[in-house]
Amino acid sequence: MSVVTISRNGDIAVVTVDNPPVNALSQALRRGLWDAVETLDADPQVRAVVLICAGRTFIAGADVTEFGKPPLEPHLPDLVDRIEAAAKPWVAAIHGSALGGGFEVAMGCRFRVAVEGASVGLPEVSLGIVPGASGTVRTPRLAGVEAAVDLVTSGKPVKAAKALSLGLVDAVFAGDLQANALAFARDALTRELPPPVLARPVAAPDAAFWDEKRKAVAKAAKGAEAPLRALDCLRKAAEAPFAEAMAFERQTFLDLRASDQAAALRHVFFAERAAPRPAHLKGADPLPLRSAGVIGGGTMGAGIAAALRDAGIPVTLIERDDEALARGMANLRGIFDGAVKRGKLSEAQAEAHMAGVTATTDYAALSDADLVIEAVFEEIGVKRAVFDRLATACRADAVLATNTSYLDPRLIAEGLPHPDRFIGLHFFSPANVMRLLEIVPVPETSDRTLATGFALGRMLNKVPVQSGICEGFIGNRILKRYRAGAETLVRQGVAIADIDAAMRAYGFAMGPFEAQDLGGLDIAFLQREGARAAGQDVPETLGDILVRANRKGQKTGGGWYDYAPGERRPQPSAAVAELLADRITGRTQMDPEAIARHLVGEMAAEGRAILDEGIAASPADIDLVEIHGYGFPRWRGGPMFAASRA
Ligand code: 3HC
Ligand code: NAI
């Protein structure tokens, strides 16, 4: 079937795009649209054209799979110009998302109308590029420079109502989009047409505006190049003639498309889309998830309950006694109150979220739960006791999950009736914010249970990654190697503050030592002590020395650094230098790039071991773990991608 078909409704033609799954602008689609303009221009019966899409969305953008290949004619900017130059007015009728090249095609049309719930945007910067078919040049002509800067440099789409208020679309309809678009087109023909977007004026802001935006965009970009280059294009669009701005945008687009950052971001784009639906679970039907239980209302339990409520799932929260239950509910209330303060939830939504939580100490309340997630203390005895109670309280087909970080899930599941429904679901703190979800099956876990874990990931908008069983699973195992690598550099004489600064310059929000000071050094210490007590040979770390000197991080006023009372700014510590003096054996000098290269290399080496052992299925999965759980800069593509390019 052709990707573009033309039908008639009186003197209005309807051009329908049908290029599943998301109507991406493949060469065939570009050609089809080009030919449609030619055909309809030549048809004297046709007075206007409605451009509409079949399937789940309007055109979602350029075809990202074509990015690595030589571009084929007709090129997208030429197509947009051709539509704009059509002899008849085109009306873009938008449902789903009009993104990137899709929105650029819509801007080539004389009018844009949308159905409620649709969104439009220019997400190119999230792929490491700038819009390449006039997005930076036409958007300011439609919506003004300020709105265009927000839209293009953030890459975040806006909903139809907002798009209407910004002037990005001309009308928003409830109900039948095609019928409404046809009526809109007929009505438009009764009036003088507005000028094409290219001919509309744009008011250029002063230099101070651009200075201020540059600072703000650089801060938000955290090392990503595309948002700043997009800002340059927008400035050119405001200050230079249309054709000159178009040439500048095109050149920037082509430069960036070939960049390392764009390659990295494309890698992450496809990895993220593949993750929620792993190929080996095709055909495994997940169980329905209508209600869930959470055991333990501490840091993780409350965060997990909040994530479930955000997805609309009713939650039963179980604690060990009434006092702990009240604390758990207060934790949950604190999360929702925080969301209200940040404008993420309305007061009414926060109330509804709370109302959907049943707080109790009685396991009988779980008799009908589809899924129960355990997040109690990290002690095998405590966890086993919880699963004993779940075994009798829950339905035999309810999925039972543990959020353990380091314990062996096989030991937690031991003796559980119907172990095929047992699984590890490792959330990251704060669980309602962090997108990573490690999914850890035990040998008995059925495909159906595993598929249910992935279905949960999709419902919670997480990035689910399957991990085999090893100490720390994928993420914490690599973290351990990363920290050990950083400590080795300290032993060789590299300054703690230099290591942190190098990793920040690489793109992390924090270096490995300041991050430990924030989270506390004691958790990993206790875990090492536990292993030592169990007879394992765990060599002394520098962190052990600090914890033994009661330097557990910010909460004790100092860890790897000193902190002035009430301050969070790390200060190099003479006390630490003294404590570690006899462990520091070298006087190594390393530049920041060498430090980062070495530590990312350590992460990748652990990643390769993890792959060799079959703990992770692919390098891309490891990259997702690091990006979504550990703050690895997205535009570097993750440690496996970065190391493969080094
Ligand atoms: N090119 C090629 N394939 C794409 C694609 C694109 N632009 N967008 C999505 N796909 C593919 C996905 O890889 C996935 O493939 P799979 O089924 O084989 O795994 C399939 O389409 C469905 O994608 P999603 O799972 O993301 O579908 P959703 O329904 O959840 O979301 C969407 C739909 C909101 C359109 C989402 O796919 C999306 O955000 N896509 C990216 C849009 C984008 O970034 N466009 C800009 C491209 S760059 C550009 O246009 C440059 C221009 O200025 C020149
Ligand atoms: P926490 O100490 O904040 O909370 C544990 C909660 O469990 C407490 O509220 C406690 O009252 C409750 N509890 C203890 N025994 C119970 C029982 N028998 N029945 C019901 N409730 C009981 O601990 P946190 O940090 O929330 O950790 C919980 C689990 O999540 C642990 O297994 C931990 O390893 C894991 N985890 C922790 C992460 C973190 O960053 N804190 C990250 C990922 C996993």
Side-chain angles (χ1 to χ4, degrees), residues 228-441:
L228 285 163
R229 299 288 295 274
L231 193 67
D232 293 339
C233 293
L234 288 155
R235 183 164 191 175
K236 185 64 94 179
E239 295 176 350
F242 185 86
E244 192 180 324
M246 281 298 295
F248 186 80
E249 180 195 77
R250 188 72 188 160
Q251 193 52 51
T252 310
F253 170 81
L254 292 174
D255 282 356
L256 288 179
R257 197 175 66 166
S259 69
D260 286 347
Q261 290 199 7
L265 288 163
R266 277 200 298 280
H267 160 74
V268 179
F269 175 90
F270 286 113
E272 282 174 349
R273 275 168 179 73
R277 290 185 177 76
H280 69 278
L281 288 175
K282 271 212 172 85
D285 277 338
L287 291 154
L289 290 171
R290 294 155 303 202
S291 65
V294 175
I295 317 294
T299 310
M300 293 309 289
I304 294 167
L308 290 162
R309 291 301 301 131
D310 283 339
I313 302 172
V315 172
T316 300
L317 181 68
I318 302 247
E319 263 286 357
R320 50 195 166 138
D321 55 39
D322 289 340
E323 205 181 305
L325 193 58
R327 260 199 320 270
M329 289 302 276
N331 290 341
L332 204 45
R333 164 68 70 184
I335 293 173
F336 295 141
D337 285 352
V340 171
K341 271 202 202 92
R342 287 193 308 281
K344 302 258 182 214
L345 284 184
S346 68
E347 296 270 1
Q349 285 168 322
E351 283 318 311
H353 276 40
M354 281 307 283
V357 182
T358 307
T360 178
T361 53
D362 182 4
Y363 279 70
L366 297 172
S367 61
D368 200 34
D370 293 319
L371 162 75
V372 179
I373 304 172
E374 164 279 309
V376 303
F377 299 139
E378 185 78 338
E379 283 170 35
I380 186 72
V382 180
K383 291 200 191 279
R384 288 279 285 270
V386 165
F387 280 92
D388 279 350
R389 300 193 65 178
L390 293 177
T392 48
C394 296
R395 288 196 328 255
D397 67 339
V399 171
L400 303 182
T402 175
N403 183 48
T404 184
S405 308
Y406 288 102
L407 297 174
D408 186 333
R410 290 169 295 204
L411 299 180
I412 300 175
E414 226 170 58
L416 183 74
H418 311 292
D420 57 299
R421 44 92 175 245
F422 180 88
I423 194 156
L425 292 176
H426 188 214
F427 289 79
F428 289 72
S429 180
N432 58 317
V433 176
M434 297 295 283
R435 290 195 64 206
L436 178 61
L437 176 64
E438 281 180 330
I439 299 187
V440 190

Side-chain angles (χ1 to χ4, degrees), residues 126-185:
S126 58
L127 286 164
I129 54 175
V130 296
S134 83
T136 67
V137 188
R138 282 193 173 89
T139 310
R141 286 168 164 77
L142 266 184
V145 173
E146 178 117 43
V149 167
D150 287 349
L151 198 72
V152 177
T153 63
S154 75
K156 291 206 180 84
V158 294
K159 287 280 179 205
K162 175 96 186 283
L164 182 65
S165 72
L166 293 174
L168 294 167
V169 301
D170 302 295
V172 177
F173 304 119
D176 187 330
L177 178 61
Q178 180 162 322
N180 279 301
L182 284 166
F184 179 94

Side-chain angles (χ1 to χ4, degrees), residues 332-573:
L332 204 45
R333 164 68 70 184
I335 293 173
F336 295 141
D337 285 352
V340 171
K341 271 202 202 92
R342 287 193 308 281
K344 302 258 182 214
L345 284 184
S346 68
E347 296 270 1
Q349 285 168 322
E351 283 318 311
H353 276 40
M354 281 307 283
V357 182
T358 307
T360 178
T361 53
D362 182 4
Y363 279 70
L366 297 172
S367 61
D368 200 34
D370 293 319
L371 162 75
V372 179
I373 304 172
E374 164 279 309
V376 303
F377 299 139
E378 185 78 338
E379 283 170 35
I380 186 72
V382 180
K383 291 200 191 279
R384 288 279 285 270
V386 165
F387 280 92
D388 279 350
R389 300 193 65 178
L390 293 177
T392 48
C394 296
R395 288 196 328 255
D397 67 339
V399 171
L400 303 182
T402 175
N403 183 48
T404 184
S405 308
Y406 288 102
L407 297 174
D408 186 333
R410 290 169 295 204
L411 299 180
I412 300 175
E414 226 170 58
L416 183 74
H418 311 292
D420 57 299
R421 44 92 175 245
F422 180 88
I423 194 156
L425 292 176
H426 188 214
F427 289 79
F428 289 72
S429 180
N432 58 317
V433 176
M434 297 295 283
R435 290 195 64 206
L436 178 61
L437 176 64
E438 281 180 330
I439 299 187
V440 190
V442 294
E444 293 83 2
T445 302
S446 67
D447 276 0
R448 187 146 206 215
T449 301
L450 194 51
T452 308
F454 279 90
L456 178 75
R458 293 194 292 274
M459 286 173 89
L460 304 189
N461 192 27
K462 299 290 181 200
V463 176
V465 173
Q466 186 169 330
S467 171
I469 298 171
C470 63
E471 191 190 288
F473 310 128
I474 299 172
N476 283 340
R477 177 165 159 183
I478 292 177
L479 179 66
K480 189 172 168 188
R481 173 82 170 251
Y482 171 49
R483 287 180 173 169
E487 285 200 4
T488 302
L489 292 182
V490 172
R491 288 178 196 268
Q492 291 167 357
V494 183
I496 291 168
D498 287 354
I499 296 170
D500 279 340
M503 298 319 286
R504 262 186 275 113
Y506 185 80
F508 281 87
M510 264 184 225
F513 298 111
E514 43 198 6
Q516 287 180 68
D517 275 1
L518 186 66
L521 279 69
D522 46 335
I523 304 168
F525 170 76
L526 289 175
Q527 197 238 328
R528 287 191 294 272
E529 287 289 274
R532 286 172 189 134
Q536 286 177 37
D537 176 25
V538 182
E540 180 190 61
T541 71
L542 301 183
D544 292 340
I545 299 169
L546 299 191
V547 174
R548 290 202 182 101
N550 198 34
R551 298 190 64 95
K552 296 180 187 166
Q554 288 190 21
K555 61 184 169 189
T556 58
W560 293 98
Y561 297 93
D562 291 341
Y563 297 86
E567 274 202 28
R568 291 173 155 247
R569 197 159 51 87
Q571 321 260 14
S573 168

Side-chain angles (χ1 to χ4, degrees), residues 21-22 24 56-57 60-65 67 76 97 99-101 104 123-124 127 129-133 253 269-270 273:
V22 296
R56 70 222 234 201
T57 180
D63 189 336
V64 180
T65 58
F67 277 13
L76 192 53
S97 310
L99 297 177
E104 292 172 317
E124 283 86 345
L127 286 164
I129 54 175
V130 296
F253 170 81
F269 175 90
F270 286 113
R273 275 168 179 73

